[in-house]
Structure formats: structure tokens, C-alpha cells
Amino acid sequence: ILATPSGARPKWLADQYPEVLRMTEDRRRNLFGERHNHCYTSMVYRDKVKAIDTELAKRFGNHPAVILWHISNELGGSCFCPQCQKKFQEWLKNKYKTIDELNEQWDTAFWSHRYQRFEQVEAPSSLGERGLHGLVLDWKRFVTAQTVDFMNTEIQALRDAGSSKPVTTNMMYEYKGLDYPKLADSLDVISWDTYPVWHKGKEAKIAEDTAMQHDYFRSMIPGRPFLLMESSPSATNWQAVSKLRRPGMVKLAALHTIAHGSDASLFFQMRQARGSMEKFHGAVIDHYGGSDTRVFEEVTETGKALDALSEVAGSVTRSQAAIICDTENYWAAKEAKGPRNQGLYQKETQMKCYHGMRRMGMDVDIISMDADISSYKLVAAPMAYMFREGFAERITEFVRLGGTFLLTYWSGVVNANDLCYLGGRPYGLTEVMGFLSTEIDGLYDGEENGIIPCDGNTLGLKRNYRCNHLCELTKPLSHQSGFEVLGSYETDFYAGLPAVTCNTYGKGKAYALLADAEEAFYEDFFEALLQLPESGLHTPIETPLPPEIEISCREKGDTQYLFIQNFGETTSFPLLRKEWNEDSEILYRDGSGDRLEKWETVVRKRV
């Protein structure tokens, strides 16, 4: 896999062409150093990158040893130089056409911040304008667009030089500087770099968080395996504490990657550097240089495991469920100046939703708000603060045709420019959800309320649940005959008001969770949901998984591969459905016997 070298420019280039270096938000030019300290808009930098990419492609573009082009490295960051400011103004003019339309969409009349022409608009800065949320959003969109354009320039240089090899670029864990799904259209393979903080607390929770990231990147190109570009065979050197991988963890983590849809698990780095930033980052071959180290032996065992699973390559994940985790929505909610400005707990809500689904053995896609949802049986939209154009209509059609939908609190509040919707929220879904949202209460840290299930509720919820941070108040629509309150608030002036609801709409059902409930609620909710025949959901297990066990499934033709992994101390084997017990064979197993050993992977094959 051959990378283009644009991630780090040489000193002579920065000296001869200072404009290639980035400017900070206070408009100061950076000095030479680090990586990604270059302006994506600079035509000088683009020309120089094109020149070296062209030479690389001419020499190696059709070489049999090159299987994939790797564009740059961990693209990210932004530049505030005059060239970028001008390009941003052009981008805005192309989007809004007239300055009056920009003023309208950004609500610049507030604080008398109207613009008279596009040339007056500057990128947001802590020294200047940050209160126009439309400006902040559009700047982030522009940075993504400019990064994609730079990446496409590199790809085109390779193509013009005669290389048709597929392309990828490596993305990063929870990086919100770019709207990653926007890069996917230009790539043949999605890849990312994972460095979990293993051995800090419960491995199962670390694995779950990593799994969600695997699923996020896998979902960017549906029906195609992804690639793990980087992981560490030992300790990292840049985390707060450089913890060694315990025996067995390297292999378990690699197979975890395969279980979630990757066709490879690669390491950074092969040989440990002697100096500079990453001289102590883990490597397959360390400074000693021998092959008789523990790490080298662990990597060797991992290679044997991957070789034994070679027939899994090319198989894909086909998920019945999806969670909408949208980057633009994250940007808008973070800047909203709303009910909680410290601790919105957006990711935590998404993780609790993911945990509830995965506990029931469901494979889950993590998708953007623009993704096609027609193939799913279950879609959840946790804290979907922003509804972009057409989203409410797609959800309405999804539920009408029989889908099951879960919407949480603080959803359907603003449009794509962070302008509040008029006429009631959740915007465009009041009829589908069966209620009108009226207020939302921000709770102080340490403050909590409770959710009490209603007697005889159709999900059979029985226990009370804690809720924190945000509690939304709603008013049911009086004309909705299929509306049911499943649980109500326990305390405060809104005690007795709906906290969990269900509305029948067309052939489907729309559920709402109106408060930041504890994880136990999501466990019970999705367990109950799978018991309903009308949900159409089917998983390989009969009962919920123990906290330490994870199950994932891949398919190829008429063959299914079931990955069962143990990230804890449990020795119990999950109770599989009859067809998986009787009609399958063990394709691969770390250990032996009837028990599931710690840090063990079992792969079953069913035709």
C-alpha cells in the first residue's frame, strides 16, 4: 500500500514558498514543523504535490507489488490564510447566490451583523465572530469540501499518470474536524486507524466503543469490507500512559476488526524508529531487532489466525438496524447554546443505544442523516438536533411502510443552518411521533429524575430507570388513536408527563425516549422490541449476551460467519438459536473445549 507524501512537506518547500504553511485562526503564519501544516488551498502546494504524485504513479502505478494507493495520511485541520478566506467566500457565493439569502439563512440581523457583500465574510475566530452558528457550520463544511477537493486532486494526478489502482485514505477515531462520510464518494476502500486504551477498566466497554467505530467506518461504503490501516502490536507512545498489550490482546483485537467487516488488520509500525516523535511507539520489530520477542510471536500467531480465516475475505455485514450519528448534527448541537452547554452527552447517548442493540446480537450500521434507510427494519436517531432537508420525509415513509423508529430527546429542533424550526417539533414528525414537544429541562450535574413504566405497557417494561442531564416535556396530539405512553416522569413539576412513548403510524411504530435514561433502559427496550413479531428482527441468539461477550456476523453468498468473542472473565457460551447449533461447523477457534475462554474468538460457519 503506497502512500502519497503530502502529509509532511520538506523544509526547502516551506522556505521557498512560505504560503504553503497554514495560518491559525488569529491569522498568524505557522512556522515549519509537524505534519499537516500545509494549506489545502495553496496552488503552489497543490502543484508540487501533483508533481511528485505523478512521478510516483509513473514509476510504481502499475507495479504488481502495489495493491492500493494511500492518499496522504490522517487528513485533517484547517487554514485561515487569505487564500482560504477568498476560497471560502467563493464557496458561500456558489451556495447562497445572493448576500441577502446568506443573511437570511444565518439570521445575521441578530446583533446587527448583516453583510453587504460576500467579500466581508471571514472565517469564525475566537478573536472575532463565533455567534453566527450558520457561519460556524458553513466554515466546517467548507473545510471538509476543500479537504475532499485536495484529496481528489491527488487521486486525479495518479489517474492522469496512468495508474488505475484503487485508493484509500486513513481516518481517525472520533475525529470531528471533517465530515468523514463526505470523503467516501472519492474512495474505493474505507480505512481507519485504531488505538484503543486497552487494559484500562473493563475490556468489554473498550471493545464496544471500538466496535462502534469499526461499524461507523464500515457503513460509509455499504456492502463492501473496510480496511484497518493502523493498530499497535504493543504500547503506543502518545497516550497518557503507554500500556503494554497483554498476552492474547493483539490477536483478539485483530479478529475483532475482522468480525466487524474488515478484510485486513495492519500494524503501525513494522520497525521501531530510532529517533524523534515515535521512537517508542510499539512495533513488530523493536530496537533489539530480533524475531524472538513476545510481540513478534504475538504478531505471528495473529497472522496464523488471519490465514485460517482467509475464506471470510470478501464477505460483508448485512445489518437490520442502523443508528444515525451525523457529523453535521454533532457540530450544530455542540454550538447550540441550548439547554446544556457543558456536557451534552451526545456520544454517550449514541453508545447506550448501540449497547442495547449489540447486547441482543444485532449487527448495526452507523450512518449519516443522508444515508438510505429503506433496507433496515430498525432505525434509531439519538439526539438528532438537526433535521436536514428531506430527513423527516424519509423517516415518515420508513415508518409508514412498517419500519420501527426510535427518536430521543432534543431532536428535530433546527434546520441545516441551525435556524429553529417554526410550527412545532420534532419538525415534520409530530404526526409520526404522536406528540408535540413543548419544553426541555436541563438538569444540573448530580441532579436526576426517574422514569416509571406504565401498568400494562405493550413493551412489558417493569422496572424504574434513572435519567439525568435532559428531560423533554411533550403534549400528546389528541387525535392520535394509536398513541401510547409507556413510561412517565417520576418527580418535579412534570411528574406524570410522558417520558417514553409509542405511536402506530401506517404499518410501523415510532418510539420516543424523552429523557437521558440510564443504560439499563436501552437494554430492556431493545430486548422487548425483539420479542415483538411485528418488528421483524431476528438475531443468532436466544437470550441477551453476557456483558463480556460480543457477536458479529458476516455473509458471502449462502454462507454466514458468526464471530463470538470474549472480552472478559466469563466462561459461559451464548445460547445460540437452533439453526446455529445444528447446522454449523467451527471454522476457527483459539482454544478448545466447551467453555468460552478469556480473550478467545470462535468463528462458526453456516451454509
Side-chain angles (χ1 to χ4, degrees):
I1 301 175
L2 184 58
T4 63
S6 60
R9 89 261 21 97
K11 183 67 163 68
W12 68 263
L13 183 57
D15 288 347
Q16 191 168 342
Y17 305 100
E19 69 173 74
V20 306
L21 297 173
R22 288 179 180 173
M23 273 190 173
T24 59
E25 65 166 61
D26 58 0
R27 314 312 192 240
R28 291 188 302 168
R29 182 77 68 182
N30 285 346
L31 300 176
F32 172 79
E34 300 294 334
R35 295 180 301 171
H36 296 294
N37 181 12
H38 46 264
C39 172
Y40 290 139
T41 305
S42 167
M43 290 309 299
V44 170
Y45 195 65
R46 288 182 175 224
D47 287 345
K48 298 300 182 184
V49 168
K50 179 181 179 181
I52 195 167
D53 287 354
T54 299
E55 292 304 314
L56 283 170
K58 286 179 178 178
R59 184 170 299 188
F60 302 111
N62 295 305
H63 195 290
V66 176
I67 62 170
L68 187 68
W69 284 106
H70 180 316
I71 305 301
S72 195
N73 179 68
E74 294 181 344
L75 293 164
S78 54
C79 174
F80 295 80
C81 74
Q83 295 177 98
C84 289
Q85 301 286 351
K86 183 178 180 181
K87 186 63 71 171
F88 180 45
Q89 292 158 0
E90 293 172 359
W91 185 87
L92 292 172
K93 189 172 185 179
N94 184 61
K95 178 176 181 179
Y96 293 107
K97 309 305 180 188
T98 68
I99 197 65
D100 288 340
E101 179 66 12
L102 179 145
N103 284 313
E104 179 72 19
Q105 293 302 320
W106 287 3
D107 195 23
T108 58
F110 187 77
W111 284 349
S112 299
H113 284 178
R114 289 183 62 84
Y115 298 100
Q116 285 73 47
R117 57 188 187 278
F118 285 102
E119 290 74 18
Q120 293 176 325
V121 181
E122 295 180 295
S125 169
S126 58
L127 300 179
E129 180 65 83
R130 285 203 65 88
L132 288 175
H133 294 159
L135 166 66
V136 176
L137 274 173
D138 274 338
W139 171 253
K140 292 178 182 291
R141 290 171 179 139
F142 164 76
V143 170
T144 294
Q146 200 68 349
T147 303
V148 171
D149 187 66
F150 179 84
M151 182 180 73
N152 285 339
T153 299
E154 288 212 66
I155 295 172
Q156 192 59 50
L158 301 175
R159 299 290 180 249
D160 290 345
S163 179
S164 59
K165 303 278 186 179
V167 296
T168 190
T169 191
N170 54 336
M171 306 182 200
M172 298 173 282
Y173 170 89
E174 278 298 305
Y175 180 67
K176 301 300 185 184
L178 297 173
D179 187 2
Y180 271 154
K182 296 289 195 301
L183 278 64
D185 289 342
S186 302
L187 302 173
D188 299 301
V189 180
I190 298 296
S191 66
W192 81 290
D193 304 339
T194 179
Y195 294 100
V197 188
W198 294 115
H199 316 303
K200 181 181 180 182
K202 293 184 177 180
E203 307 297 346
K205 279 299 176 188
I206 298 170
E208 190 172 81
D209 180 60
T210 305
M212 189 171 178
Q213 294 295 312
H214 285 322
D215 290 341
Y216 169 62
F217 290 108
R218 171 182 52 75
S219 301
M220 288 183 194
I221 302 183
R224 194 180 301 177
F226 72 98
L227 171 66
L228 184 67
M229 184 64 73
E230 291 185 21
S231 61
S232 176
S234 184
T236 65
N237 75 308
W238 47 264
Q239 291 169 338
V241 176
S242 299
K243 194 77 172 174
L244 293 176
R245 302 287 184 262
R246 294 295 185 253
M249 180 50 70
V250 170
K251 179 166 62 173
L252 182 70
L255 295 179
H256 189 226
T257 303
I258 305 302
H260 282 270
S262 177
D263 268 3
S265 184
L266 308 182
F267 295 118
F268 177 77
Q269 50 194 332
M270 182 64 179
R271 187 180 293 273
Q272 212 165 21
R274 291 191 66 189
S276 200
M277 290 285 288
E278 293 175 312
K279 62 181 177 291
F280 294 123
H281 193 287
V284 178
I285 302 171
D286 64 13
H287 296 138
Y288 156 63
S291 61
D292 57 344
T293 64
R294 182 181 70 88
V295 171
F296 195 96
E297 291 171 357
E298 292 256 338
V299 171
T300 301
E301 288 303 310
T302 301
K304 291 177 181 177
L306 293 174
D307 191 47
L309 289 170
S310 59
E311 73 170 73
V312 176
S315 63
V316 298
T317 304
R318 304 200 186 280
S319 302
Q320 304 171 76
I323 300 174
I324 295 170
C325 299
D326 189 270
T327 303
E328 290 193 12
N329 175 66
Y330 170 86
W331 290 339
K334 188 174 183 294
E335 299 283 343
K337 304 300 180 197
R340 280 188 65 98
N341 294 322
Q342 292 183 349
L344 198 58
Y345 298 99
Q346 193 173 15
K347 185 195 173 183
E348 288 80 358
T349 301
Q350 295 166 349
M351 280 298 304
K352 285 185 283 191
C353 191
Y354 182 78
H355 167 79
M357 292 181 180
R358 294 288 299 163
R359 176 176 173 266
M360 297 308 300
M362 281 189 271
D363 289 306
V364 183
D365 287 353
I366 310 298
I367 60 175
S368 76
M369 202 168 287
D370 300 321
D372 180 11
I373 59 173
S374 59
S375 64
Y376 301 112
K377 297 177 181 177
L378 170 64
V379 172
M383 296 184 72
Y385 166 75
M386 173 194 289
F387 277 13
R388 289 205 292 280
E389 185 177 354
F391 178 71
E393 289 80 0
R394 292 199 302 278
I395 293 295
T396 298
E397 186 69 359
F398 173 76
V399 178
R400 187 185 69 81
L401 294 176
T404 300
F405 178 59
L406 171 65
L407 187 70
T408 77
Y409 53 95
W410 204 224
S411 291
V413 183
V414 300
N415 70 5
N417 287 313
D418 208 9
L419 294 181
C420 292
Y421 282 118
L422 305 178
R425 67 174 194 262
Y427 174 77
L429 291 182
T430 54
E431 292 292 326
V432 176
M433 304 309 301
F435 61 77
L436 184 68
S437 178
T438 57
E439 298 177 90
I440 187 164
D441 190 18
L443 277 60
Y444 294 116
D445 289 347
E447 187 181 7
E448 67 179 41
N449 205 316
I451 299 175
I452 303 174
C454 297
D455 292 339
N457 67 84
T458 53
L459 281 183
L461 302 175
K462 293 182 172 61
R463 54 174 166 166
N464 295 1
Y465 307 97
R466 297 189 318 277
C467 55
N468 309 85
H469 307 126
L470 292 172
C471 295
E472 191 151 11
L473 283 57
T474 60
K475 181 173 68 176
L477 302 179
S478 58
H479 61 276
Q480 290 281 9
S481 59
F483 182 79
E484 179 188 4
V485 178
L486 303 176
S488 58
Y489 287 113
E490 182 178 15
T491 61
D492 219 318
F493 71 91
Y494 41 90
L497 289 183
V500 186
T501 67
C502 175
N503 190 50
T504 301
Y505 184 86
K507 298 178 181 179
K509 290 187 181 295
Y511 293 88
L513 171 61
L514 300 168
D516 184 10
E518 63 179 306
E519 188 175 78
F521 170 82
Y522 291 88
E523 292 180 348
D524 293 350
F525 175 81
F526 288 110
E527 182 177 351
L529 208 59
L530 259 75
Q531 309 307 316
L532 300 177
E534 60 266 30
S535 73
L537 297 166
H538 184 81
T539 68
I541 57 173
E542 292 280 6
T543 57
L545 293 169
E548 302 89 349
I549 304 298
E550 183 184 289
I551 279 185
S552 301
C553 192
R554 295 181 64 164
E555 300 179 14
K556 181 164 60 175
D558 61 353
T559 304
Q560 294 177 301
Y561 302 95
L562 187 68
F563 288 75
I564 307 167
Q565 296 193 282
N566 185 1
F567 287 90
E569 301 290 345
T570 186
T571 58
S572 61
F573 206 88
L575 184 58
L576 300 177
R577 294 191 182 277
K578 181 179 179 181
E579 61 267 25
W580 273 105
N581 276 319
E582 296 180 354
D583 301 333
S584 65
E585 60 174 305
I586 302 294
L587 178 64
Y588 170 84
R589 181 164 193 164
D590 280 341
S592 60
D594 298 326
R595 300 194 311 169
L596 192 62
E597 302 293 342
K598 179 182 179 181
W599 295 3
E600 181 174 278
T601 298
V602 179
V603 183
R604 286 198 176 203
K605 173 183 177 180
R606 176 173 175 258
V607 179

